[in-house]
């Protein structure tokens, strides 16, 4: 009988661990066997771990005031892709630039800048942090990446979002849309892709992005280091793995030894 009562209580505790504190308070009269004690520990741990995970999942990067904006936002890495194709786009004010969303989506998309500017925009003032040891505060405007991905319809196998850029750091010719080794690319997981501060940005400090800062479209992924913020984005590929893309480590710098997650 005693055993049955303990099992019943255990089942009640497992089913209703949200009320763990109440149940602990009301089982003082029972002599707990070691297994019961473990369950109480696990419940407490689980509550703490899951709450922390939930909080962290949507942890926001700090946002700043307009008066905090850096007078000069340093440009870094590629300052101009300078290919014939890119230069022609720049000369046409990027009116023919397309952002393609491909891969594990039910509704692949090809969007013009005008399309993207028509979507709900978010503006945020954040601090950029480059591994080379400088920071800058800027005001970015763009569309939330999560919105685009939602519209594209993610397949259940989707795990990563890869950004393919127009610049090639080794000067190799582009391979007809395929990722060549020197071409800049980046990737993030779905948690960061759907984070509310993750933007496909088209404006810096209220002006259309200029060429040094990634015209016409660049990523802002505010809880990550500078090299994750892909500039000159041409296509967004939803995938279950980046093992077969370029060096297989998820980014131009990652293929050269940098960390993939790169949280600040
Ligand atoms: N396409 C592309 N994106 C890129 C880079 C690059 O060379 N090419 N450099 C990265 C690095 S190291 C940093 S610090 C930021 C710099 O962005 P900014 O030029 O707007 O300051 O862009 C990142 N994104
Ligand atoms: Mo950087």
């Amino acid at each position: 009988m005693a055993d049955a009562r303990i099992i019943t209580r255990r089942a009640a505790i497992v089913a209703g661990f949200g009320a763990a504190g109440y149940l602990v308070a009301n089982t003082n009269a029972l002599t707990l066997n070691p297994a019961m004690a473990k369950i109480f520990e696990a419940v407490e741990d689980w509550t703490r771990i899951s709450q922390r995970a939930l909080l962290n999942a949507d942890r926001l990067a700090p946002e700043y005031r307009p008066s905090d904006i850096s007078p000069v936002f340093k440009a870094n890495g590629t300052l101009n892709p300078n290919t014939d194709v890119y230069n022609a786009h720049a000369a046409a004010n990027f009116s023919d630039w397309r952002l393609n969303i491909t891969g594990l989506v039910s509704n692949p998309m090809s969007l013009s800048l005008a399309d993207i500017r028509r979507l709900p925009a978010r503006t945020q003032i954040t601090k950029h942090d480059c591994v080379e040891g400088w920071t800058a505060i800027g005001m970015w405007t763009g569309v939330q990446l999560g919105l685009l991905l939602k519209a594209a319809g993610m397949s259940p196998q989707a795990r990563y979002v890869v950004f393919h850029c127009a610049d090639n750091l080794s000067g190799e010719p582009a391979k007809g849309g395929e990722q060549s080794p020197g071409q800049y690319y980046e990737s993030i997981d779905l948690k960061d892709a759907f984070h509310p501060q993750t933007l496909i940005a088209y404006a810096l400090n209220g002006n259309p992005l200029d060429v040094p800062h990634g015209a016409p479209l660049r990523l802002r992924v505010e809880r990550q280091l500078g090299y994750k913020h892909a500039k000159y984005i041409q296509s967004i590929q939803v995938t279950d793995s980046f093992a077969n893309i370029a060096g297989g480590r998820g980014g131009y710098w990652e293929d050269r030894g940098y960390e993939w997650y790169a949280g600040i």
Side-chain angles (χ1 to χ4, degrees):
M1 274 313 279
D3 277 349
R5 207 164 54 230
I6 287 172
I7 287 163
T8 303
R9 278 203 178 254
R10 186 183 294 166
I13 288 158
V14 171
F17 62 77
Y22 172 81
L23 287 165
V24 171
N26 284 281
T27 48
N28 286 343
L30 269 172
T31 313
L32 292 179
N33 65 32
M36 285 298 278
K38 281 256 178 292
I39 289 174
F40 282 124
E41 275 172 38
V43 165
E44 284 195 15
D45 267 4
W46 170 249
T47 307
R48 185 165 42 77
I49 289 165
S50 63
Q51 280 178 357
R52 192 174 293 164
L54 277 172
L55 287 174
N56 286 346
D58 282 314
R59 179 175 65 86
L60 295 175
E63 295 195 14
Y64 297 82
R65 292 167 306 201
S67 58
D68 298 322
I69 292 173
S70 304
V72 176
F73 197 110
K74 181 179 157 70
N76 201 39
T78 299
L79 303 182
N80 187 338
N82 217 5
T83 64
D84 291 348
V85 174
Y86 182 86
N87 290 341
H89 278 298
N93 214 5
F94 300 102
S95 53
D96 295 327
W97 189 272
R98 309 298 292 190
L99 176 70
N100 297 308
I101 304 183
T102 64
L104 296 176
V105 292
S106 51
N107 181 25
M109 295 193 290
S110 178
L111 303 170
S112 69
L113 283 184
D115 295 333
I116 292 170
R117 288 203 190 98
R118 224 172 275 134
L119 297 171
R122 181 181 159 87
T123 293
Q124 59 200 26
I125 302 175
T126 53
K127 186 187 276 178
H128 181 95
D129 189 336
C130 172
V131 285
E132 290 171 12
W134 58 273
T135 62
I137 293 177
M139 181 174 79
W140 301 97
T141 303
V143 60
Q144 288 170 308
L145 176 59
L147 178 68
L148 297 180
L149 295 175
K150 208 157 177 262
M154 308 276 285
S155 115
Q157 296 97 283
R159 290 189 61 199
Y160 303 103
V161 180
V162 181
F163 306 89
H164 298 277
C165 306
D167 54 325
N168 192 308
L169 284 79
S170 340
E172 312 129 302
K175 292 184 190 163
E178 204 184 296
Q179 181 73 47
S180 64
Q183 199 183 327
Y184 205 91
Y185 77 107
E186 259 302 338
S187 60
I188 58 176
D189 64 17
L190 297 191
K191 201 182 267 185
D192 282 311
F194 281 91
H195 187 275
Q197 290 171 315
T198 300
L199 306 183
I200 299 299
Y202 47 77
L204 169 58
N205 296 339
N207 301 309
L209 271 189
D210 59 7
V211 170
H213 293 98
L217 297 172
R218 65 99 50 84
L219 180 65
R220 294 303 306 172
V221 53
E222 303 292 358
R223 300 178 300 176
Q224 263 81 19
L225 288 167
Y227 60 87
K228 299 297 290 185
H229 300 236
K231 307 195 281 188
Y232 318 111
I233 298 175
Q234 291 181 304
S235 71
I236 297 177
Q237 177 192 358
V238 177
T239 181
D240 58 350
S241 163
F242 45 71
N244 294 320
I245 300 171
R249 292 169 172 265
Y252 176 87
W253 285 114
E254 288 85 336
D255 286 342
R256 289 152 183 82
Y258 283 56
E259 195 204 340
W260 177 76
Y261 185 69
I264 295 175

